Amino acid sequence: MSIFKKASKKVAPKRKLIVANWKMNPVDLKEATKIFAVLKRVDLKKVKDTVVICPPDAYLADFSLKYKGGKFKFGAQDVSVSNNPESTGEISAEMLKNLKAEYVIVGHSERRALGETNSVVAKKIRNAVDKGLKVILCVGEEHRDMNGDYLRFVEKQLFESLEGFNKKNIANLYVAYEPVWAIGKGHASVESNDLHQMNLFIKKVLVSIFDRKIGLSVPIIYGGSVDEENAKQLIEAGEVSGLLIGRASLNPYVFTKILKLL
Ligand code: PEP
């Protein structure tokens, strides 16, 4: 039986991971607090997913310390590659941990567009998991082509970004497939059958990086123009273990609607 068939037989973990990436929004804490006030009203007992809010670092502590142990988890959108305190403007994995952040997004395409390489991403991941953070590694091609070069691109990102990753930390690793062409567009999400294929492809690559059991244990989530219209279809037909949501997570009514749909 091919790895594709075997992988598709494996049922995704029941508890989905839904991540809200607020990016560099909103412009003040008052607005952020208003968004969160609406979210807090959601009955997550009914939702049954793990919902992670990733506000800008400037507001992270206002939520992560105050609401620790509550129904939402909190995460950061990036972490320093370094543990050296002489790192102006950076935030370390240890600081995030002390702020009670549990997750961190690493290798987002908007960071990669600023020059972040796979090797920097790999160091950030090792650093973050060493400090006990759960990492959401973002990978995804800039565009699709007929020759399948985009598959090689994602494969390379995975191999290089997971360089030196210690298998013992595997429970703290998530992969977010985020095709760059679908991010922030609001209308150009991936087709769910293409997502399903990519999901299987990523599983296959993870199996070759680690081994079958470990590779298949890594949850794969999807991000890129998710909204209340496409969320359910993407998760079900794409067979992904969750979603990473940018724009739509800033509207707490839309985000709440998505959570209730899943
Ligand atoms: C993102 O920034 O990771 C993202 C998925 O954004 P959007 O949902 O706006 O496409």
Side-chain angles (χ1 to χ4, degrees):
M1 194 188 284
S2 80
I3 178 69
F4 282 94
K5 284 200 182 132
K6 281 185 191 167
S8 65
K9 276 196 157 184
K10 173 120 184 150
V11 183
K14 284 212 172 52
R15 222 175 154 78
K16 302 273 184 271
L17 182 77
I18 311 297
V19 185
N21 176 15
W22 286 4
K23 310 194 186 192
M24 205 163 72
N25 298 290
V27 290
D28 62 28
L29 177 60
K30 200 168 158 207
E31 194 54 35
T33 307
K34 270 196 214 160
I35 296 173
F36 193 68
V38 177
L39 294 182
K40 269 194 313 187
R41 298 205 289 264
V42 191
D43 184 355
L44 283 189
K45 277 200 202 88
K46 282 191 190 142
V47 170
K48 292 227 174 44
D49 296 318
T50 300
V51 185
V52 183
I53 312 290
C54 300
D57 288 346
Y59 321 135
L60 179 60
D62 290 281
F63 299 109
S64 58
L65 291 177
K66 189 161 170 201
Y67 298 102
K68 66 173 184 278
K71 56 188 177 182
F72 292 97
K73 311 280 181 203
F74 296 94
Q77 301 170 15
D78 190 24
V79 64
S80 180
V81 68
S82 169
N83 288 321
N84 180 349
E86 320 302 317
S87 300
T88 303
E90 296 282 288
I91 188 158
S92 69
E94 192 173 9
M95 285 173 174
L96 292 178
K97 192 75 187 157
N98 291 339
L99 289 178
K100 308 295 176 210
E102 290 179 55
Y103 292 76
V104 61
I105 298 170
V106 180
H108 191 281
S109 60
E110 288 159 11
R111 306 277 339 148
R112 292 178 185 267
L114 297 174
E116 191 162 294
T117 59
N118 288 329
S119 104
V120 168
V121 171
K123 277 193 205 145
K124 287 186 174 186
I125 293 175
R126 293 197 296 266
N127 217 349
V129 291
D130 279 353
K131 295 287 179 299
L133 292 168
K134 294 184 199 304
V135 166
I136 302 155
L137 160 64
C138 297
V139 295
E141 75 282 3
E142 277 160 37
H143 46 80
R144 289 211 164 191
D145 59 284
M146 302 297 283
N147 306 325
D149 287 348
Y150 68 96
L151 293 172
R152 303 282 84 77
F153 182 86
V154 171
E155 183 177 36
K156 186 172 183 318
Q157 280 188 323
L158 285 164
F159 264 96
E160 294 183 1
S161 303
L162 291 170
E163 175 75 45
F165 186 92
N166 190 331
K167 284 182 191 179
K168 78 172 176 17
N169 293 320
I170 204 72
N172 284 345
L173 178 67
Y174 293 78
V175 171
Y177 169 57
E178 294 215 301
V180 180
W181 50 266
I183 293 181
K185 301 292 183 295
H187 61 275
S189 183
V190 72
E191 293 293 330
S192 46
N193 54 334
D194 289 343
L195 174 59
H196 187 233
Q197 271 183 5
M198 184 53 98
N199 182 8
L200 296 181
F201 178 74
I202 291 174
K203 286 185 194 304
K204 181 173 168 271
V205 176
L206 291 172
V207 165
S208 57
I209 293 176
F210 300 109
D211 59 35
R212 188 179 147 67
K213 192 165 172 242
I214 292 182
L216 292 181
S217 73
V218 179
I220 298 164
I221 68 172
Y222 169 76
S225 294
V226 174
D227 58 24
E228 72 272 42
E229 304 294 327
N230 60 20
K232 198 169 166 59
Q233 164 79 1
L234 285 165
I235 247 183
E236 285 176 0
E239 285 189 23
V240 285
S241 300
L243 300 167
L244 201 170
I245 308 177
R247 188 186 43 89
S249 72
L250 281 161
N251 180 329
Y253 298 100
V254 171
F255 190 63
T256 301
K257 218 169 171 181
I258 295 174
L259 295 179
K260 286 184 181 159
L261 279 171
L262 302 177

Short mmCIF file of all heavy atoms in Angstrom, two decimals, residues 221-243:
data_model
loop_
_atom_site.label_atom_id
_atom_site.label_comp_id
_atom_site.label_asym_id
_atom_site.label_seq_id
_atom_site.Cartn_x
_atom_site.Cartn_y
_atom_site.Cartn_z
N ILE A 221 -2.13 21.72 9.65
CA ILE A 221 -3.26 22.65 9.59
C ILE A 221 -3.13 23.49 8.33
O ILE A 221 -2.09 23.47 7.66
CB ILE A 221 -3.37 23.51 10.89
CG1 ILE A 221 -2.20 24.49 11.03
CG2 ILE A 221 -3.43 22.62 12.12
CD1 ILE A 221 -2.38 25.48 12.19
N TYR A 222 -4.19 24.22 8.01
CA TYR A 222 -4.17 25.03 6.77
C TYR A 222 -4.42 26.50 7.08
O TYR A 222 -5.25 26.83 7.95
CB TYR A 222 -5.25 24.54 5.79
CG TYR A 222 -5.41 25.53 4.65
CD1 TYR A 222 -4.46 25.60 3.63
CD2 TYR A 222 -6.46 26.46 4.64
CE1 TYR A 222 -4.56 26.55 2.62
CE2 TYR A 222 -6.57 27.41 3.63
CZ TYR A 222 -5.61 27.44 2.63
OH TYR A 222 -5.70 28.39 1.64
N GLY A 223 -3.73 27.37 6.36
CA GLY A 223 -3.99 28.80 6.46
C GLY A 223 -3.93 29.47 5.11
O GLY A 223 -3.09 29.12 4.26
N GLY A 224 -4.81 30.42 4.89
CA GLY A 224 -4.82 31.19 3.63
C GLY A 224 -6.25 31.50 3.25
O GLY A 224 -6.95 30.64 2.71
N SER A 225 -6.68 32.74 3.58
CA SER A 225 -8.02 33.22 3.21
C SER A 225 -9.15 32.32 3.70
O SER A 225 -10.13 32.09 2.99
CB SER A 225 -8.11 33.40 1.69
OG SER A 225 -7.25 34.45 1.29
N VAL A 226 -8.99 31.82 4.91
CA VAL A 226 -10.08 31.04 5.50
C VAL A 226 -11.15 32.01 5.99
O VAL A 226 -10.84 33.05 6.56
CB VAL A 226 -9.57 30.19 6.69
CG1 VAL A 226 -10.74 29.50 7.41
CG2 VAL A 226 -8.55 29.17 6.23
N ASP A 227 -12.39 31.67 5.74
CA ASP A 227 -13.50 32.49 6.25
C ASP A 227 -14.67 31.57 6.60
O ASP A 227 -14.54 30.34 6.55
CB ASP A 227 -13.90 33.58 5.24
CG ASP A 227 -14.31 33.00 3.89
OD1 ASP A 227 -14.71 31.81 3.86
OD2 ASP A 227 -14.23 33.70 2.88
N GLU A 228 -15.79 32.18 6.94
CA GLU A 228 -16.92 31.37 7.38
C GLU A 228 -17.53 30.58 6.23
O GLU A 228 -18.28 29.64 6.43
CB GLU A 228 -17.96 32.21 8.13
CG GLU A 228 -18.77 33.16 7.27
CD GLU A 228 -18.11 34.52 7.09
OE1 GLU A 228 -16.89 34.58 6.88
OE2 GLU A 228 -18.84 35.53 7.12
N GLU A 229 -17.22 30.96 5.00
CA GLU A 229 -17.77 30.25 3.83
C GLU A 229 -17.00 28.96 3.53
O GLU A 229 -17.58 27.99 3.08
CB GLU A 229 -17.67 31.13 2.56
CG GLU A 229 -18.34 32.49 2.64
CD GLU A 229 -19.84 32.36 2.78
OE1 GLU A 229 -20.40 31.41 2.20
OE2 GLU A 229 -20.45 33.19 3.48
N ASN A 230 -15.69 29.00 3.73
CA ASN A 230 -14.88 27.85 3.27
C ASN A 230 -14.29 27.00 4.41
O ASN A 230 -13.74 25.93 4.15
CB ASN A 230 -13.76 28.33 2.33
CG ASN A 230 -12.82 29.32 3.00
OD1 ASN A 230 -12.75 29.39 4.22
ND2 ASN A 230 -12.06 30.06 2.20
N ALA A 231 -14.39 27.47 5.66
CA ALA A 231 -13.69 26.79 6.76
C ALA A 231 -14.06 25.31 6.89
O ALA A 231 -13.18 24.44 6.96
CB ALA A 231 -13.97 27.52 8.07
N LYS A 232 -15.34 25.05 6.90
CA LYS A 232 -15.80 23.66 7.13
C LYS A 232 -15.36 22.73 6.00
O LYS A 232 -14.84 21.64 6.22
CB LYS A 232 -17.32 23.65 7.28
CG LYS A 232 -17.85 22.40 7.94
CD LYS A 232 -19.30 22.58 8.30
CE LYS A 232 -19.97 21.27 8.64
NZ LYS A 232 -19.35 20.56 9.76
N GLN A 233 -15.54 23.23 4.79
CA GLN A 233 -15.18 22.44 3.61
C GLN A 233 -13.67 22.14 3.59
O GLN A 233 -13.24 21.02 3.33
CB GLN A 233 -15.60 23.24 2.36
CG GLN A 233 -14.99 22.80 1.05
CD GLN A 233 -15.70 21.57 0.49
OE1 GLN A 233 -16.66 21.08 1.09
NE2 GLN A 233 -15.22 21.06 -0.63
N LEU A 234 -12.87 23.17 3.91
CA LEU A 234 -11.41 22.98 3.90
C LEU A 234 -11.00 21.93 4.93
O LEU A 234 -10.19 21.05 4.65
CB LEU A 234 -10.70 24.31 4.19
CG LEU A 234 -10.69 25.31 3.03
CD1 LEU A 234 -10.29 26.69 3.52
CD2 LEU A 234 -9.74 24.85 1.92
N ILE A 235 -11.57 22.04 6.10
CA ILE A 235 -11.19 21.11 7.17
C ILE A 235 -11.65 19.69 6.85
O ILE A 235 -10.91 18.73 7.03
CB ILE A 235 -11.73 21.63 8.53
CG1 ILE A 235 -10.55 22.02 9.39
CG2 ILE A 235 -12.60 20.66 9.22
CD1 ILE A 235 -10.82 22.47 10.75
N GLU A 236 -12.86 19.57 6.34
CA GLU A 236 -13.40 18.22 6.10
C GLU A 236 -12.81 17.58 4.86
O GLU A 236 -12.26 16.49 4.91
CB GLU A 236 -14.92 18.27 6.03
CG GLU A 236 -15.51 18.44 7.42
CD GLU A 236 -17.01 18.58 7.43
OE1 GLU A 236 -17.65 18.54 6.36
OE2 GLU A 236 -17.56 18.73 8.55
N ALA A 237 -12.89 18.29 3.72
CA ALA A 237 -12.40 17.68 2.48
C ALA A 237 -10.87 17.69 2.45
O ALA A 237 -10.24 16.80 1.88
CB ALA A 237 -12.97 18.42 1.29
N GLY A 238 -10.26 18.70 3.06
CA GLY A 238 -8.79 18.75 3.08
C GLY A 238 -8.21 17.79 4.11
O GLY A 238 -7.02 17.52 4.12
N GLU A 239 -9.08 17.29 5.01
CA GLU A 239 -8.68 16.39 6.11
C GLU A 239 -7.53 16.95 6.93
O GLU A 239 -6.62 16.21 7.34
CB GLU A 239 -8.31 15.00 5.56
CG GLU A 239 -9.53 14.20 5.16
CD GLU A 239 -9.21 12.76 4.82
OE1 GLU A 239 -8.18 12.23 5.26
OE2 GLU A 239 -10.01 12.16 4.09
N VAL A 240 -7.56 18.26 7.14
CA VAL A 240 -6.51 18.87 7.95
C VAL A 240 -6.92 18.89 9.42
O VAL A 240 -8.10 18.74 9.76
CB VAL A 240 -6.16 20.30 7.46
CG1 VAL A 240 -5.33 20.24 6.19
CG2 VAL A 240 -7.39 21.16 7.29
N SER A 241 -5.94 19.09 10.28
CA SER A 241 -6.18 19.04 11.72
C SER A 241 -6.45 20.41 12.32
O SER A 241 -6.39 20.55 13.54
CB SER A 241 -4.96 18.41 12.42
OG SER A 241 -4.75 17.13 11.93
N GLY A 242 -6.70 21.37 11.47
CA GLY A 242 -7.01 22.69 12.02
C GLY A 242 -6.77 23.78 11.00
O GLY A 242 -6.48 23.52 9.83
N LEU A 243 -6.88 25.02 11.47
CA LEU A 243 -6.78 26.18 10.59
C LEU A 243 -5.95 27.27 11.23
O LEU A 243 -5.98 27.44 12.46
CB LEU A 243 -8.19 26.73 10.30
CG LEU A 243 -9.18 25.78 9.62
CD1 LEU A 243 -10.60 26.35 9.69
CD2 LEU A 243 -8.78 25.52 8.17
#
